Amino acid sequence: MSDSSLPTAAYFCPLDGSRAGITAPGWCCPACKGPWDLDTGATRPVGLGSLSGRVNSLWRYEEALPLSGPAVSLGEGRTPLVPLTERVSAKLDFLMPTLSFKDRGAVMLAELARRLSPERVVADSSGNAGTAVAAYCARAGLPCTVYVPEGTSPKKTEQIRAHGARLVTVPGGREATASAARAAADTPGTFYASHVFNPFFLHGTKTYVYEIWEDLGGTLPDAIAVPVGNGTLLLGAALAISELLAHGLIDRRPALIAVQAEAVSPLAAAFRAGDDGLSAAPAPARPTLAEGIAIPRPPRARQILAAVRESGGTFLTVTEDQIRSAQRDLAARGFFVETTGVACWAAVGAETDRSVVVPLCGAGLKTGLAPGAP
């Protein structure tokens, strides 16, 4: 694929089968208004032995990616995998260029937008996705507007502005913010860099698992714990696992452990109830330190629940006190991680029966130390 070319992949709706080309103006399925998935056609296996000498970023897995020859890369990916206990290891995704794992997907969206040449890029976020999209749009020379909820960490909003993006603060919570961004996304000439609705983002986050697979010599741990709000890291992980299985590069599917804050845990409640999706009226969201996963109604809820069940995994929830304690504990081990990013350690840090990898997916400098920490 040349630098200016577009992928041959197509969008498709997993619910009703609708399809659209990559250059189609709509950012969601026109029939059901749900998120797109991506049909990439036949994929090629990533050979473990072929990786030596390749670029030291997530772009090294070119056979598995829907884009190649990037112009907007900031060197994202290839974050360290380090042991925390005998059974639990951490992947340090807070060492990404914008200090969160969202760079994995944001670089895909920005590269796609660069090739489509829109008049403007719009994104919505509780913070980290917005900072990542702002940074990569700056790299691509694209005008960008980021919508965030009121109460978003000042350090994150400062970072968005620093990258030259226009910041719009929306009264209310995460759903009001998404609605405002989607209204703007319907304006002609706009590319909606949605980390939820655009599946190119998931094809970026799947490199998280490809890196673990490479670092573990062509295998995966017994379980992979992932914080879940909109589920972009979990769905990317499930995508990578399915690809590795299909190509015979692994022989088993690790369990996906989905972690939510107890204060905002609609998916955990649905999982425990045996539901395929969310109820019409989920429990009201309460304030939580884990702002990055405080999503009352994730649009990909059905896919998230199905992916966890297919893996033989489960949902776990953590309290605010557990989040505070986990942040302090990780800091005492040398890792200063934001409050959302410690949720998985809070949930599975005492695991002794199986090998687990947790993501430390946002730097502590983004939110500071949790108030009231013991």
Side-chain angles (χ1 to χ4, degrees):
M1 182 183 300
S2 68
D3 178 68
S4 61
S5 65
L6 289 170
T8 57
Y11 295 129
F12 76 93
C13 177
L15 293 180
D16 60 39
S18 297
R19 297 180 69 85
I22 299 302
T23 59
W27 50 265
C28 65
C29 171
C32 70
K33 306 303 180 184
W36 289 120
D37 278 354
L38 194 65
D39 180 2
T40 59
T43 60
R44 294 177 293 148
V46 176
L48 192 65
S50 70
L51 295 173
S52 177
R54 290 193 182 185
V55 61
N56 194 33
S57 75
L58 62 81
W59 295 97
R60 68 199 280 110
Y61 310 110
E62 59 183 356
E63 295 92 340
L65 298 176
L67 298 171
S68 62
V72 299
S73 176
L74 293 169
E76 57 287 327
R78 298 297 293 138
T79 55
L81 182 67
V82 299
L84 293 176
T85 69
E86 287 188 4
R87 304 300 286 168
V88 182
S89 296
K91 189 151 176 59
L92 310 188
D93 261 27
F94 69 89
L95 298 181
M96 288 283 194
T98 76
L99 307 182
S100 90
F101 87 91
K102 295 289 176 62
D103 289 14
R104 293 184 183 276
V107 68
M108 291 288 169
L109 295 182
E111 181 62 31
L112 177 61
R114 184 188 69 81
R115 299 181 192 200
L116 292 171
S117 300
E119 296 176 20
R120 69 194 66 82
V121 173
V122 166
D124 60 282
S125 169
S126 58
N128 283 337
T131 62
V133 170
Y136 284 94
C137 281
R139 183 74 165 176
L142 294 167
C144 178
T145 299
V146 179
Y147 290 75
V148 299
E150 60 183 357
T152 297
S153 166
K155 292 297 183 183
K156 294 179 182 179
T157 57
E158 181 181 26
Q159 187 178 1
I160 290 168
R161 288 193 181 99
H163 291 306
R166 174 174 170 254
L167 182 74
V168 178
T169 302
V170 179
R174 188 66 184 83
E175 289 187 324
T177 303
S179 295
R182 291 166 195 167
D186 287 329
T187 304
T190 300
F191 177 84
Y192 184 27
S194 172
H195 59 292
V196 181
F197 278 78
N198 193 306
F200 277 83
F201 195 93
L202 305 182
H203 282 263
T205 60
K206 75 181 181 184
T207 60
Y208 175 84
V209 164
Y210 274 95
E211 290 177 15
I212 295 172
W213 169 79
E214 181 182 357
D215 287 342
L216 295 181
T219 188
L220 289 175
D222 298 324
I224 296 174
V226 185
V228 174
N230 276 310
T232 56
L233 184 54
L234 183 140
L235 291 174
L239 187 60
I241 291 166
S242 293
E243 290 175 357
L244 289 167
L245 275 170
H247 290 304
L249 297 173
I250 54 174
D251 58 9
R252 58 178 178 80
R253 189 183 294 273
L256 292 173
I257 302 174
V259 180
Q260 296 203 289
E262 186 179 273
V264 188
S265 52
L267 291 164
F271 183 85
R272 291 165 185 163
D275 295 337
D276 293 332
L278 299 182
S279 66
R286 291 175 282 143
T288 177
L289 294 165
E291 63 178 7
I293 53 174
I295 309 297
R297 296 194 65 82
R300 293 187 184 269
R302 287 183 175 274
Q303 289 177 284
I304 296 165
L305 291 164
V308 173
R309 290 189 173 113
E310 183 180 17
S311 76
T314 192
F315 273 82
L316 300 176
T317 59
V318 291
T319 67
E320 301 303 292
D321 283 344
Q322 286 177 308
I323 291 171
R324 291 185 180 95
S325 296
Q327 189 185 38
R328 286 280 189 176
D329 181 69
L330 282 170
R333 297 167 186 264
F335 305 106
F336 187 33
V337 183
E338 70 169 314
T339 45
T340 298
V342 306
C344 289
W345 175 242
V348 303
E351 180 74 57
T352 58
D353 294 334
R354 55 184 174 176
S355 58
V356 185
V357 171
V358 301
L360 305 185
C361 48
L365 296 176
K366 285 175 169 278
T367 58
L369 198 61

